């Protein structure tokens, strides 16, 4: 066993795991936190180390989740919710005294996750789960949740960070990125539309997940959605964040890591599935004005992710990291092409 795993066993001990034939395996494909699956005599669990650089106040995440867990237990006791396992001293997280914040959740037995939406039905199921999550929590004041990452989906701020990164990057990176910088300049109208949305009182803030990729939904053996997971970025937000990130990640048959850009296309049936799945839970909640912005939601999220990847490339990959040189540039290019493929279908889909 290496030193790191030994350290993790120490962490698990603080959650009461001792002498339990523990087995630890890295889990999932998240870019920000480290996640492990823990197999023990007591069952299966998820152990996660929170990225403290990204989440300035990990305590805010824990408090939000505890608040949501309490609300759901009271009003929707049948909803499967992976409530955090407390430490031996009753805390919702373990702090190692330096920068490490860890938490443990039960792994919902019989559930599995998927990395790609393979069928429109899966996209429908996932969209219904994210819609259900916001709908169930509609009686809870969204602003009672703490902001875990300030300005996380504030497109105006993301655009400004992009401009700043262009000014401070080195000449080499700027030249490599120039084609994609120009592309993003050309679609700046998406930022202007966002600014008008947030001024419009018809757009409501609700309890929003903010990371609606398909791997954040648990499915049962019949491919029916069970519940949503990864609640670190649950905070007040607009529905375009959740619907948009589903479009960004379910419409295309390949992921944001794909470097063969010719494989990027939009599957129209998945678009309909997302809208219908989300509306199956949220149609009574959304205002008539909001309902006109489903297509915009896709443009918003794809554009913002392209900005974020390109900004990170220009900032020397300090946020997302990279496993090969130019990975964030490639991811940005992937998202720019996806945006183009979506916009081409605007006359057909935005009805
Ligand atoms: C990050 O860590 P992960 O993969 O769940 C990011 C999302 C991005 C996503 C892109 C806190 O999510 O906003 O859409 O990468 N989360 C944070 O893959 O920045
Ligand atoms: Mg996440």
């Amino acid at each position: 066993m290496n030193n790191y795993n030994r350290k993790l066993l120490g962490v698990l001990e603080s959650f009461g795991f001792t002498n339990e034939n523990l087995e630890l395996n890295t889990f999932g494909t998240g870019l920000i936190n480290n996640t492990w699956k823990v197999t023990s005599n007591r069952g299966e669990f998820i152990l996660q180390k929170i990225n403290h650089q990204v989440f300035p106040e990990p305590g805010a995440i824990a408090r939000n989740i505890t608040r949501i867990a309490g609300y759901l237990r009271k009003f929707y006791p049948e909803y499967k919710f992976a409530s955090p396992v407390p430490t031996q001293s009753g805390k919702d997280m373990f702090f190692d005294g330096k920068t490490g914040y860890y938490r443990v959740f039960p792994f919902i037995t019989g559930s599995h996750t998927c990395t790609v939406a393979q069928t429109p039905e899966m996209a429908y199921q996932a969209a219904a789960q994210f819609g259900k999550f916001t709908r169930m929590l509609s009686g809870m004041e969204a602003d009672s949740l703490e902001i875990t990452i300030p300005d996380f989906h504030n497109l105006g701020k993301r655009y400004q960070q992009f401009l700043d990164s262009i000014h401070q990057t080195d000449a080499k990176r700027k030249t490599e990125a120039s084609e994609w910088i120009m592309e993003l300049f050309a679609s700046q109208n998406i930022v202007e539309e966002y600014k008008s949305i947030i001024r419009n009182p018809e757009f409501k803030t609700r309890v929003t997940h903010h990371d609606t990729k398909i791997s954040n939904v648990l499915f049962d053996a019949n491919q029916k959605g069970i519940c949503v997971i990864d609640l670190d970025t649950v905070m007040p937000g607009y529905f375009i964040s959740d619907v948009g990130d589903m479009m960004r990640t379910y419409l295309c048959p390949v992921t944001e890591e794909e470097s063969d850009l010719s494989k990027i296309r939009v599957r129209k049936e998945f678009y309909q599935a997302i809208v219908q799945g989300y509306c199956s839970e949220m149609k009574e909640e959304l205002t008539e004005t909001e309902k006109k912005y489903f297509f915009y939601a896709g443009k918003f999220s794809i554009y913002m992710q392209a900005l974020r990847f390109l900004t990170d490339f220009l900032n020397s990959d300090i946020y997302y990291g990279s496993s090969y040189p130019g990975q964030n540039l490639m991811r940005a290019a992937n998202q720019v092409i996806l945006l183009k493929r979506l916009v081409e279908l605007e006359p057909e889909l935005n009805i």
Side-chain angles (χ1 to χ4, degrees), residues 147-178:
I147 307 287
T148 59
I149 303 181
D151 294 315
F152 187 46
H153 278 195
N154 179 341
L155 187 56
K157 272 273 165 53
R158 294 294 183 189
Y159 192 73
Q160 189 54 49
Q161 290 166 344
F162 168 61
L163 297 181
D164 294 346
S165 72
I166 297 171
H167 288 120
Q168 64 80 47
T169 193
D170 58 57
K172 183 166 174 284
R173 283 189 188 244
K174 199 193 276 185
T175 309
E176 282 177 291
S178 62

mmCIF file of all heavy atoms in Angstrom, residues 147-178:
data_model
loop_
_atom_site.group_PDB
_atom_site.id
_atom_site.type_symbol
_atom_site.label_atom_id
_atom_site.label_comp_id
_atom_site.label_asym_id
_atom_site.label_seq_id
_atom_site.Cartn_x
_atom_site.Cartn_y
_atom_site.Cartn_z
ATOM 1 N N ILE A 147 -23.361 30.283 -1.147
ATOM 2 C CA ILE A 147 -22.705 30.283 -2.457
ATOM 3 C C ILE A 147 -21.380 29.523 -2.303
ATOM 4 O O ILE A 147 -20.495 29.976 -1.580
ATOM 5 C CB ILE A 147 -22.409 31.734 -2.913
ATOM 6 C CG1 ILE A 147 -23.668 32.597 -2.857
ATOM 7 C CG2 ILE A 147 -21.731 31.769 -4.279
ATOM 8 C CD1 ILE A 147 -24.687 32.329 -3.910
ATOM 9 N N THR A 148 -21.243 28.380 -2.961
ATOM 10 C CA THR A 148 -20.010 27.594 -2.759
ATOM 11 C C THR A 148 -18.884 28.052 -3.685
ATOM 12 O O THR A 148 -17.717 27.909 -3.350
ATOM 13 C CB THR A 148 -20.284 26.087 -2.936
ATOM 14 O OG1 THR A 148 -20.805 25.854 -4.249
ATOM 15 C CG2 THR A 148 -21.277 25.576 -1.902
ATOM 16 N N ILE A 149 -19.240 28.579 -4.855
ATOM 17 C CA ILE A 149 -18.228 29.191 -5.740
ATOM 18 C C ILE A 149 -18.832 30.505 -6.248
ATOM 19 O O ILE A 149 -19.781 30.483 -7.029
ATOM 20 C CB ILE A 149 -17.872 28.299 -6.953
ATOM 21 C CG1 ILE A 149 -17.378 26.923 -6.502
ATOM 22 C CG2 ILE A 149 -16.819 28.980 -7.827
ATOM 23 C CD1 ILE A 149 -16.992 25.998 -7.653
ATOM 24 N N PRO A 150 -18.308 31.628 -5.791
ATOM 25 C CA PRO A 150 -18.903 32.896 -6.231
ATOM 26 C C PRO A 150 -18.832 33.051 -7.748
ATOM 27 O O PRO A 150 -17.833 32.675 -8.371
ATOM 28 C CB PRO A 150 -18.022 33.954 -5.537
ATOM 29 C CG PRO A 150 -17.373 33.235 -4.390
ATOM 30 C CD PRO A 150 -17.220 31.807 -4.828
ATOM 31 N N ASP A 151 -19.908 33.575 -8.339
ATOM 32 C CA ASP A 151 -19.967 33.848 -9.786
ATOM 33 C C ASP A 151 -19.695 32.627 -10.653
ATOM 34 O O ASP A 151 -19.185 32.750 -11.767
ATOM 35 C CB ASP A 151 -18.981 34.969 -10.159
ATOM 36 C CG ASP A 151 -19.397 36.290 -9.539
ATOM 37 O OD1 ASP A 151 -20.601 36.614 -9.611
ATOM 38 O OD2 ASP A 151 -18.530 36.973 -8.967
ATOM 39 N N PHE A 152 -20.061 31.463 -10.148
ATOM 40 C CA PHE A 152 -19.742 30.214 -10.869
ATOM 41 C C PHE A 152 -20.299 30.228 -12.297
ATOM 42 O O PHE A 152 -19.580 29.949 -13.248
ATOM 43 C CB PHE A 152 -20.317 29.037 -10.076
ATOM 44 C CG PHE A 152 -19.932 27.688 -10.607
ATOM 45 C CD1 PHE A 152 -18.622 27.398 -10.960
ATOM 46 C CD2 PHE A 152 -20.888 26.680 -10.720
ATOM 47 C CE1 PHE A 152 -18.266 26.142 -11.433
ATOM 48 C CE2 PHE A 152 -20.544 25.422 -11.194
ATOM 49 C CZ PHE A 152 -19.231 25.156 -11.552
ATOM 50 N N HIS A 153 -21.577 30.535 -12.454
ATOM 51 C CA HIS A 153 -22.163 30.569 -13.795
ATOM 52 C C HIS A 153 -22.529 31.998 -14.216
ATOM 53 O O HIS A 153 -23.476 32.197 -14.966
ATOM 54 C CB HIS A 153 -23.390 29.646 -13.872
ATOM 55 C CG HIS A 153 -23.012 28.210 -14.090
ATOM 56 N ND1 HIS A 153 -23.917 27.251 -14.488
ATOM 57 C CD2 HIS A 153 -21.813 27.582 -14.001
ATOM 58 C CE1 HIS A 153 -23.281 26.085 -14.606
ATOM 59 N NE2 HIS A 153 -22.014 26.256 -14.306
ATOM 60 N N ASN A 154 -21.772 32.956 -13.730
ATOM 61 C CA ASN A 154 -21.991 34.346 -14.132
ATOM 62 C C ASN A 154 -21.235 34.571 -15.444
ATOM 63 O O ASN A 154 -20.011 34.735 -15.458
ATOM 64 C CB ASN A 154 -21.473 35.266 -13.020
ATOM 65 C CG ASN A 154 -21.635 36.728 -13.362
ATOM 66 O OD1 ASN A 154 -21.802 37.095 -14.526
ATOM 67 N ND2 ASN A 154 -21.579 37.572 -12.347
ATOM 68 N N LEU A 155 -21.980 34.541 -16.538
ATOM 69 C CA LEU A 155 -21.322 34.580 -17.848
ATOM 70 C C LEU A 155 -20.595 35.905 -18.088
ATOM 71 O O LEU A 155 -19.545 35.929 -18.741
ATOM 72 C CB LEU A 155 -22.354 34.316 -18.954
ATOM 73 C CG LEU A 155 -21.791 34.169 -20.368
ATOM 74 C CD1 LEU A 155 -20.734 33.078 -20.462
ATOM 75 C CD2 LEU A 155 -22.911 33.889 -21.366
ATOM 76 N N GLY A 156 -21.142 36.993 -17.518
ATOM 77 C CA GLY A 156 -20.461 38.286 -17.658
ATOM 78 C C GLY A 156 -19.061 38.211 -17.055
ATOM 79 O O GLY A 156 -18.066 38.637 -17.656
ATOM 80 N N LYS A 157 -18.984 37.631 -15.860
ATOM 81 C CA LYS A 157 -17.684 37.479 -15.167
ATOM 82 C C LYS A 157 -16.767 36.531 -15.921
ATOM 83 O O LYS A 157 -15.566 36.765 -16.041
ATOM 84 C CB LYS A 157 -17.908 36.914 -13.760
ATOM 85 C CG LYS A 157 -18.147 37.952 -12.704
ATOM 86 C CD LYS A 157 -16.821 38.446 -12.124
ATOM 87 C CE LYS A 157 -16.954 39.737 -11.333
ATOM 88 N NZ LYS A 157 -17.949 39.738 -10.294
ATOM 89 N N ARG A 158 -17.326 35.431 -16.437
ATOM 90 C CA ARG A 158 -16.511 34.450 -17.185
ATOM 91 C C ARG A 158 -15.915 35.100 -18.431
ATOM 92 O O ARG A 158 -14.784 34.808 -18.806
ATOM 93 C CB ARG A 158 -17.349 33.228 -17.573
ATOM 94 C CG ARG A 158 -17.819 32.391 -16.389
ATOM 95 C CD ARG A 158 -16.651 31.750 -15.683
ATOM 96 N NE ARG A 158 -17.067 30.895 -14.585
ATOM 97 C CZ ARG A 158 -16.225 30.364 -13.707
ATOM 98 N NH1 ARG A 158 -14.927 30.617 -13.782
ATOM 99 N NH2 ARG A 158 -16.663 29.585 -12.739
ATOM 100 N N TYR A 159 -16.695 35.974 -19.050
ATOM 101 C CA TYR A 159 -16.196 36.650 -20.253
ATOM 102 C C TYR A 159 -15.057 37.599 -19.866
ATOM 103 O O TYR A 159 -14.026 37.660 -20.541
ATOM 104 C CB TYR A 159 -17.337 37.407 -20.938
ATOM 105 C CG TYR A 159 -16.952 37.883 -22.322
ATOM 106 C CD1 TYR A 159 -16.841 36.989 -23.383
ATOM 107 C CD2 TYR A 159 -16.663 39.232 -22.555
ATOM 108 C CE1 TYR A 159 -16.464 37.414 -24.657
ATOM 109 C CE2 TYR A 159 -16.284 39.661 -23.824
ATOM 110 C CZ TYR A 159 -16.188 38.753 -24.863
ATOM 111 O OH TYR A 159 -15.812 39.175 -26.112
ATOM 112 N N GLN A 160 -15.240 38.307 -18.759
ATOM 113 C CA GLN A 160 -14.189 39.219 -18.294
ATOM 114 C C GLN A 160 -12.901 38.451 -17.963
ATOM 115 O O GLN A 160 -11.797 38.880 -18.316
ATOM 116 C CB GLN A 160 -14.703 39.997 -17.068
ATOM 117 C CG GLN A 160 -13.790 41.125 -16.626
ATOM 118 C CD GLN A 160 -13.465 42.112 -17.763
ATOM 119 O OE1 GLN A 160 -14.365 42.583 -18.464
ATOM 120 N NE2 GLN A 160 -12.176 42.394 -17.976
ATOM 121 N N GLN A 161 -13.057 37.287 -17.318
ATOM 122 C CA GLN A 161 -11.870 36.474 -16.994
ATOM 123 C C GLN A 161 -11.160 36.028 -18.271
ATOM 124 O O GLN A 161 -9.934 35.946 -18.333
ATOM 125 C CB GLN A 161 -12.268 35.248 -16.161
ATOM 126 C CG GLN A 161 -12.697 35.610 -14.748
ATOM 127 C CD GLN A 161 -13.405 34.462 -14.023
ATOM 128 O OE1 GLN A 161 -13.848 33.486 -14.639
ATOM 129 N NE2 GLN A 161 -13.528 34.593 -12.702
ATOM 130 N N PHE A 162 -11.954 35.749 -19.298
ATOM 131 C CA PHE A 162 -11.388 35.364 -20.604
ATOM 132 C C PHE A 162 -10.576 36.533 -21.179
ATOM 133 O O PHE A 162 -9.422 36.359 -21.598
ATOM 134 C CB PHE A 162 -12.566 34.969 -21.510
ATOM 135 C CG PHE A 162 -12.254 34.803 -22.966
ATOM 136 C CD1 PHE A 162 -11.347 33.846 -23.406
ATOM 137 C CD2 PHE A 162 -12.887 35.609 -23.916
ATOM 138 C CE1 PHE A 162 -11.083 33.685 -24.760
ATOM 139 C CE2 PHE A 162 -12.625 35.454 -25.274
ATOM 140 C CZ PHE A 162 -11.716 34.495 -25.693
ATOM 141 N N LEU A 163 -11.164 37.740 -21.148
ATOM 142 C CA LEU A 163 -10.429 38.913 -21.665
ATOM 143 C C LEU A 163 -9.136 39.117 -20.877
ATOM 144 O O LEU A 163 -8.067 39.356 -21.452
ATOM 145 C CB LEU A 163 -11.292 40.179 -21.570
ATOM 146 C CG LEU A 163 -12.585 40.203 -22.409
ATOM 147 C CD1 LEU A 163 -13.327 41.526 -22.222
ATOM 148 C CD2 LEU A 163 -12.286 39.986 -23.896
ATOM 149 N N ASP A 164 -9.226 38.968 -19.551
ATOM 150 C CA ASP A 164 -8.018 39.156 -18.716
ATOM 151 C C ASP A 164 -6.950 38.136 -19.089
ATOM 152 O O ASP A 164 -5.764 38.460 -19.138
ATOM 153 C CB ASP A 164 -8.360 38.986 -17.222
ATOM 154 C CG ASP A 164 -9.293 40.077 -16.711
ATOM 155 O OD1 ASP A 164 -9.465 41.099 -17.413
ATOM 156 O OD2 ASP A 164 -9.874 39.901 -15.614
ATOM 157 N N SER A 165 -7.381 36.885 -19.342
ATOM 158 C CA SER A 165 -6.393 35.841 -19.647
ATOM 159 C C SER A 165 -5.699 36.126 -20.984
ATOM 160 O O SER A 165 -4.524 35.832 -21.164
ATOM 161 C CB SER A 165 -7.045 34.455 -19.648
ATOM 162 O OG SER A 165 -7.863 34.281 -20.788
ATOM 163 N N ILE A 166 -6.407 36.737 -21.915
ATOM 164 C CA ILE A 166 -5.788 37.078 -23.216
ATOM 165 C C ILE A 166 -4.693 38.126 -22.986
ATOM 166 O O ILE A 166 -3.617 38.061 -23.576
ATOM 167 C CB ILE A 166 -6.841 37.628 -24.206
ATOM 168 C CG1 ILE A 166 -7.886 36.562 -24.509
ATOM 169 C CG2 ILE A 166 -6.184 38.117 -25.501
ATOM 170 C CD1 ILE A 166 -9.089 37.060 -25.303
ATOM 171 N N HIS A 167 -4.971 39.035 -22.074
ATOM 172 C CA HIS A 167 -3.988 40.110 -21.843
ATOM 173 C C HIS A 167 -2.764 39.628 -21.094
ATOM 174 O O HIS A 167 -1.678 40.158 -21.296
ATOM 175 C CB HIS A 167 -4.646 41.283 -21.117
ATOM 176 C CG HIS A 167 -5.575 42.021 -22.021
ATOM 177 N ND1 HIS A 167 -6.920 42.173 -21.772
ATOM 178 C CD2 HIS A 167 -5.364 42.585 -23.236
ATOM 179 C CE1 HIS A 167 -7.491 42.799 -22.785
ATOM 180 N NE2 HIS A 167 -6.571 43.063 -23.679
ATOM 181 N N GLN A 168 -2.937 38.620 -20.249
ATOM 182 C CA GLN A 168 -1.767 38.252 -19.437
ATOM 183 C C GLN A 168 -1.035 36.992 -19.913
ATOM 184 O O GLN A 168 0.006 36.650 -19.372
ATOM 185 C CB GLN A 168 -2.145 38.180 -17.948
ATOM 186 C CG GLN A 168 -3.138 37.114 -17.575
ATOM 187 C CD GLN A 168 -2.479 35.759 -17.451
ATOM 188 O OE1 GLN A 168 -1.434 35.658 -16.818
ATOM 189 N NE2 GLN A 168 -3.061 34.758 -18.079
ATOM 190 N N THR A 169 -1.524 36.339 -20.951
ATOM 191 C CA THR A 169 -0.887 35.090 -21.381
ATOM 192 C C THR A 169 0.412 35.379 -22.156
ATOM 193 O O THR A 169 0.725 36.528 -22.450
ATOM 194 C CB THR A 169 -1.870 34.262 -22.248
ATOM 195 O OG1 THR A 169 -1.368 32.954 -22.410
ATOM 196 C CG2 THR A 169 -2.096 34.894 -23.619
ATOM 197 N N ASP A 170 1.166 34.290 -22.468
ATOM 198 C CA ASP A 170 2.392 34.520 -23.256
ATOM 199 C C ASP A 170 2.075 34.463 -24.751
ATOM 200 O O ASP A 170 1.012 33.963 -25.163
ATOM 201 C CB ASP A 170 3.477 33.503 -22.857
ATOM 202 C CG ASP A 170 3.015 32.080 -23.054
ATOM 203 O OD1 ASP A 170 2.640 31.720 -24.185
ATOM 204 O OD2 ASP A 170 3.018 31.319 -22.047
ATOM 205 N N ALA A 171 3.004 34.958 -25.532
ATOM 206 C CA ALA A 171 2.768 35.107 -26.981
ATOM 207 C C ALA A 171 2.489 33.755 -27.635
ATOM 208 O O ALA A 171 1.642 33.644 -28.525
ATOM 209 C CB ALA A 171 3.974 35.775 -27.635
ATOM 210 N N LYS A 172 3.181 32.716 -27.151
ATOM 211 C CA LYS A 172 3.036 31.398 -27.773
ATOM 212 C C LYS A 172 1.601 30.883 -27.609
ATOM 213 O O LYS A 172 0.956 30.471 -28.568
ATOM 214 C CB LYS A 172 4.036 30.439 -27.128
ATOM 215 C CG LYS A 172 4.039 29.048 -27.721
ATOM 216 C CD LYS A 172 5.285 28.273 -27.278
ATOM 217 C CE LYS A 172 5.237 26.828 -27.741
ATOM 218 N NZ LYS A 172 4.323 25.997 -26.941
ATOM 219 N N ARG A 173 1.129 30.919 -26.380
ATOM 220 C CA ARG A 173 -0.241 30.427 -26.138
ATOM 221 C C ARG A 173 -1.262 31.274 -26.879
ATOM 222 O O ARG A 173 -2.258 30.761 -27.398
ATOM 223 C CB ARG A 173 -0.540 30.387 -24.639
ATOM 224 C CG ARG A 173 0.111 29.182 -23.959
ATOM 225 C CD ARG A 173 -0.340 28.997 -22.524
ATOM 226 N NE ARG A 173 0.466 27.949 -21.907
ATOM 227 C CZ ARG A 173 -0.008 26.774 -21.459
ATOM 228 N NH1 ARG A 173 -1.279 26.511 -21.511
ATOM 229 N NH2 ARG A 173 0.800 25.885 -20.934
ATOM 230 N N LYS A 174 -1.019 32.579 -26.906
ATOM 231 C CA LYS A 174 -1.987 33.453 -27.574
ATOM 232 C C LYS A 174 -2.065 33.098 -29.070
ATOM 233 O O LYS A 174 -3.157 33.027 -29.641
ATOM 234 C CB LYS A 174 -1.602 34.923 -27.403
ATOM 235 C CG LYS A 174 -2.800 35.834 -27.655
ATOM 236 C CD LYS A 174 -2.461 37.282 -27.800
ATOM 237 C CE LYS A 174 -2.332 38.026 -26.545
ATOM 238 N NZ LYS A 174 -2.110 39.407 -26.528
ATOM 239 N N THR A 175 -0.910 32.853 -29.685
ATOM 240 C CA THR A 175 -0.902 32.504 -31.119
ATOM 241 C C THR A 175 -1.616 31.169 -31.334
ATOM 242 O O THR A 175 -2.458 31.038 -32.226
ATOM 243 C CB THR A 175 0.552 32.385 -31.624
ATOM 244 O OG1 THR A 175 1.229 33.569 -31.233
ATOM 245 C CG2 THR A 175 0.622 32.208 -33.130
ATOM 246 N N GLU A 176 -1.290 30.193 -30.489
ATOM 247 C CA GLU A 176 -1.932 28.867 -30.638
ATOM 248 C C GLU A 176 -3.453 28.963 -30.518
ATOM 249 O O GLU A 176 -4.194 28.218 -31.153
ATOM 250 C CB GLU A 176 -1.422 27.910 -29.551
ATOM 251 C CG GLU A 176 -0.044 27.338 -29.823
ATOM 252 C CD GLU A 176 0.402 26.458 -28.654
ATOM 253 O OE1 GLU A 176 0.673 26.991 -27.565
ATOM 254 O OE2 GLU A 176 0.445 25.241 -28.836
ATOM 255 N N ALA A 177 -3.893 29.897 -29.661
ATOM 256 C CA ALA A 177 -5.336 29.964 -29.365
ATOM 257 C C ALA A 177 -6.086 30.926 -30.285
ATOM 258 O O ALA A 177 -7.316 31.005 -30.216
ATOM 259 C CB ALA A 177 -5.534 30.393 -27.911
ATOM 260 N N SER A 178 -5.354 31.650 -31.156
ATOM 261 C CA SER A 178 -5.965 32.815 -31.815
ATOM 262 C C SER A 178 -7.250 32.467 -32.583
ATOM 263 O O SER A 178 -8.239 33.204 -32.506
ATOM 264 C CB SER A 178 -4.964 33.524 -32.719
ATOM 265 O OG SER A 178 -4.569 32.619 -33.721
#
